[in-house]
Amino acid sequence: ALAAAPDALAGAAHALGLDAAMAGDGAVQTLELVALSAAVATLSQCLTGFGFGMVAVGILGPLQAEGDLPGLPFSAIVAVVILLSVPVTLAQVWEKREYVELDGVSVLLGAALLGTPVGVLSLQLLDERLVLTLLGTVIVLFSASELNNLFQDVQAARAQEELEAKAASSDSDDDEVTAAAEAAAAAAAASEEGRLVLKDERWAPVFGGLAGVLGGAFAVPSPFVVMYAAMRRWDTEPLRCKANLVFVLAAMRTLVTVIDAARGEYNDPVVLSSVLVCAPACVLAYNLAGTLEGKVNPTLFRGLVVGKLMINGFILLVPAILEAAGPSAAQ
């Protein structure tokens, strides 16, 4: 399928008239890159439950800056990415509907849906660079803390396994078992020390509202939803965590898409045709993710979620870093 993709995309682009509408040969090159980024984003979304837009735009943004996406404005490329993400997330919601905990996400989702129109309407009032730089900083610091927590949990689990092995072994004496028990207790205490944990939904309106505003204004709703999930310890159960994340983010993304459609953001026929051309790449990636999903254990899943959240934070910080480094580089 990958080997045949360039010819298939070229044929589809010609059939839909995109090669003419998007300035000839550049159309096929751009569509190939958009389809590839959408496939990677779909795989990432299905394995962790969030981040389709940030992964796809994170790949395409630098390419656009280097002039490697001819024939299509970047605003249209972003619109294509958003329209591709909606069916992917809705398909995930349907597939994992039995694991969604409506009681656990209702407050978070309600606050997010209320905050989304506020974000759309307040876009002109917010300083995008400042808001996204602050958000990126918070995400990176939070992710670093969560990765440390994950390391401590792994150490505690290993100490517990060693204790159980010594207790079951006939070659171990009482002193060895006692020492292993003390080490396991110390590791367990270290894994809980300083951890940010939310035991109830008291903070759900805050995280949901912030996610809604950022999602409506800048199309980045996932960080605060993922941070809330991590602090509620949803990430210790992959199926429940992915189902809840996808359910909340799919509802928010669908609402934003409806609002944008009502404002005429998707009226360009090139955008809709490009979505049709790139959709098969998402279907292939979705099926591949289904094969890989059952092989991801809970610890690896937590690492994927937090690691990907940190990458998203760095993506948000890149513009500020480049802006700060520009004068020094020129000098």
Side-chain angles (χ1 to χ4, degrees):
L2 291 173
D7 291 339
L9 282 169
H14 178 72
L16 293 170
L18 292 178
D19 49 357
M22 294 169 57
D25 294 337
V28 176
Q29 175 187 336
T30 299
L31 285 173
E32 288 176 0
L33 292 172
V34 173
L36 177 61
S37 69
V40 175
T42 299
L43 187 62
S44 178
Q45 167 79 34
C46 292
L47 289 179
T48 61
F50 70 99
F52 186 105
M54 292 194 75
V55 171
V57 175
I59 295 171
L60 295 171
L63 296 177
Q64 171 70 11
E66 295 294 328
D68 292 330
L69 298 175
L72 193 64
F74 195 64
S75 58
I77 292 174
V78 172
V80 171
V81 169
I82 292 173
L83 290 176
L84 287 171
S85 71
V86 172
V88 171
T89 52
L90 290 178
Q92 277 193 289
V93 170
W94 177 255
E95 182 181 347
K96 304 185 187 312
R97 61 192 182 280
E98 61 183 291
Y99 299 105
V100 176
E101 296 178 333
L102 292 177
D103 293 339
V105 301
S106 56
V107 177
L108 181 71
L109 177 58
L113 294 180
L114 289 174
T116 298
V118 175
V120 173
L121 296 174
S122 62
L123 177 58
Q124 303 300 325
L125 303 177
L126 299 174
D127 185 331
E128 179 177 358
R129 178 63 55 81
L130 176 62
V131 171
L132 294 184
T133 300
L134 290 175
L135 176 61
T137 303
V138 171
I139 291 171
V140 170
L141 293 176
F142 174 80
S143 301
S145 173
E146 283 298 302
L147 286 175
N148 178 67
N149 291 339
L150 177 60
F151 174 76
Q152 297 290 350
D153 287 347
V154 170
Q155 294 294 99
R158 288 178 177 172
Q160 184 64 31
E161 290 175 0
E162 184 175 347
L163 170 61
E164 293 173 358
K166 287 188 177 295
S169 174
S170 57
D171 297 331
S172 300
D173 56 30
D174 292 342
D175 291 339
E176 290 179 336
V177 174
T178 301
E182 292 175 352
S191 70
E192 295 298 327
E193 184 177 354
R195 186 189 298 271
L196 294 173
V197 178
L198 299 177
K199 297 182 179 179
D200 53 43
E201 293 185 300
R202 190 176 309 167
W203 287 91
V206 176
F207 282 88
L210 289 172
V213 171
L214 288 170
F218 307 120
V220 285
S222 58
F224 279 106
V225 178
V226 176
M227 284 192 280
Y228 179 80
M231 285 189 275
R232 289 299 306 274
R233 303 303 300 275
W234 289 353
D235 55 353
T236 59
E237 301 178 37
L239 284 175
R240 181 180 70 144
C241 182
K242 270 188 279 191
N244 290 337
L245 283 176
V246 167
F247 181 72
V248 173
L249 295 174
M252 296 174 62
R253 188 168 291 133
T254 302
L255 178 59
V256 171
T257 304
V258 170
I259 294 173
D260 287 344
R263 298 166 63 194
E265 298 288 339
Y266 308 125
N267 290 343
D268 189 347
V270 172
V271 170
L272 299 178
S273 300
S274 300
V275 170
L276 293 176
V277 171
C278 298
C282 294
V283 174
L284 287 173
Y286 192 95
N287 290 329
L288 175 60
T291 303
L292 297 175
E293 190 173 18
K295 302 180 180 182
V296 179
N297 64 45
T299 301
L300 178 58
F301 174 76
R302 285 183 64 196
L304 286 173
V305 169
V306 178
K308 182 175 164 187
L309 184 62
M310 178 176 280
I311 291 172
N312 288 352
F314 280 120
I315 289 173
L316 293 176
L317 289 174
V318 163
I321 293 172
L322 293 178
E323 183 177 354
S328 300
Q331 185 176 359

